[in-house]
Structure formats: structure tokens, C-alpha cells
Amino acid sequence: MPSLRARIDRGDILIGPMALIGSPVVIEIFGHIGFDVLFIDTEHAPTSPYGTELEAMIRAATAAGIPAIVRPTEPRPGAILKALNFGAEGIWLTHIQTPEEAQVAVAACRYPPDGSRSSVPVTRAARYGIEPWDDYRQRVNREVLAMPIIESAQGIRNVDQIAAVPGVDMLQFGPFDLATDLGVPPGNFHGTDSAWIDPQLEDAFKACARAAEKHGVGLATVAWNAESAERQIEMGAQVILMGIDLVLLQQNTAAVLDSANALKRANA
């Protein structure tokens, strides 16, 4: 199967859910169902970004044939290093607000001379040293996705400069933190018809799309349904986060409960 980078470079639209529960089983199910990509969260999830919990989740993604993009708790080199050493194919760089922050975070995603990532040849991502070091170093520098999340008013103001930072591969539009920062109810991001999106959020999304197009980088976003995903694809998005394991569990469990209650009422 082509790498995540190769599929993005050829223009594929990629859609996948977020893993928030922290279960490798859930991740395997997502992969076997056939999603294009998986977002593993450690910022709001109970999963530690530094140890075997995250490693087990990325291993489950590999086993199920789904590439993993990881969000560390913060865009610090240590957390980024761990996720990449475990085998993440992309890094969500949280709360990037300035080009200077983007430069530091992006550099942590790649080995010298392209970045500042600490080097060791026996990581899981390098098949524990079985892949020759120079081959691995060059491959991962070429294929890793560095994805600053633009999720604040300051980030939107600086989005053009952030997109221009060498090594930025894709901008991730972060509607919920941004909505909170702007004082807009986050629920307005996913409305119906004329209320599809709050005007301030739509303007912010368009600013990200313009910056991405101008600087030749990709654009990722969040959608709760096919309608909002379609709208954002039309506006330039290529990678779509759609669905969160916790929310999917709640929705489907509630649907089963509704059916069970209807059955009991019919047979009372």
C-alpha cells in the first residue's frame, strides 16, 4: 500500500476517525473497517505520549493497515520524538500560534540536516535497526507529515507565515479551540444549511485554505458528517477527521438502547 505521504501527494481525499479512548482494539477495528487514516490523541485522552501505551496503539494501527497521525500533549521535541520512534507517520503540532513555534516543532519531526530530531538506529519505526540507518533516515525525513494545528485567533492572524515555514506539510484547522478563543459556541461549527458554520469560523477556515494554497501545503479539517466534510473539501480540504471513538460509542449505544426500549414498550 502507498505511504500516507504518497497518497496525499497524488491528491487522494483521506478520511478517518480519532482514537480518544486509548484502546488498541478500537484502533484495529477502525483499520480493518477500512478508514484511510487514524488520528491518535494524547492531548485530551488518557494515553501517555511517552511510553508503551502509545506504542501499543501505533502497533495496532500498523497491524490493521491504517497510518497513524499522533497528537502529542504539546509540540515539544521529546513528545514528538517518542511518537515518531514508535512509528507515527504524521504529527499534529498542537496550538501553533507563530512561525517561530512552527519552526521549532517542525524541526523536531526530522533528522539533521533537515531538522533536529535526536538520532538512534534501533527504534520501532526503523524496524529495530533492521532497516539500514541511512535508508530509514532519508525515508522518514521525506515521508513524515508535520501538521501545525491552527486553533487560536493568533494562529489565524499568523497562518500565512506559519504555512511558509519550510518543512510544514499540512495545516490542520482546529475549530473547537478556535471557537472558544473567538467566543463563538463550538456547536455552531456544525449546523444545518444556512447555519452550517459560524461566519467567524468560516472566515478562519478560508484564511487557512488561502495560506495552504499559496504556499503549496495541504489542508486538514474536522467534520461531524458527510455534508460538512463535502463543504470543506470543496473549499480545499484534503484530509478529514470525521468521528471520535467515544462519540461513535455513545451514538450507537444510544441507538441500540432506543431499539430495546421500543421493543419492551411493544411487548408490555
Side-chain angles (χ1 to χ4, degrees), residues 18-20 39-51 53-55 57-58 69-74 79 83 92 94:
M18 176 189 283
L20 199 65
F39 299 87
I40 297 177
D41 184 63
T42 71
E43 182 184 18
H44 299 292
T47 306
S48 168
Y50 292 105
E53 290 179 329
L54 178 58
E55 183 181 30
M57 294 175 73
I58 295 174
I69 296 172
V70 171
R71 175 162 66 178
T73 52
E74 51 190 348
W92 257 1
T94 58

Side-chain angles (χ1 to χ4, degrees), residues 78-143:
I80 293 169
L81 175 68
K82 286 289 189 177
L84 291 173
N85 282 356
F86 295 152
E89 295 190 37
I91 301 292
W92 257 1
L93 302 169
T94 58
H95 302 289
I96 298 298
Q97 302 190 88
T98 68
E100 292 77 17
E101 291 174 350
Q103 288 169 355
V104 172
V106 167
C109 293
R110 293 182 173 89
Y111 292 113
D114 301 327
S116 59
R117 180 180 169 186
S118 181
S119 303
V120 64
V122 292
T123 64
R124 178 184 178 274
R127 302 186 180 96
Y128 306 103
I130 294 171
E131 183 175 359
W133 166 247
D134 281 342
D135 292 348
Y136 169 70
R137 179 180 59 82
Q138 293 177 34
R139 176 178 65 80
V140 77
N141 275 10
R142 181 176 64 252
E143 293 184 352

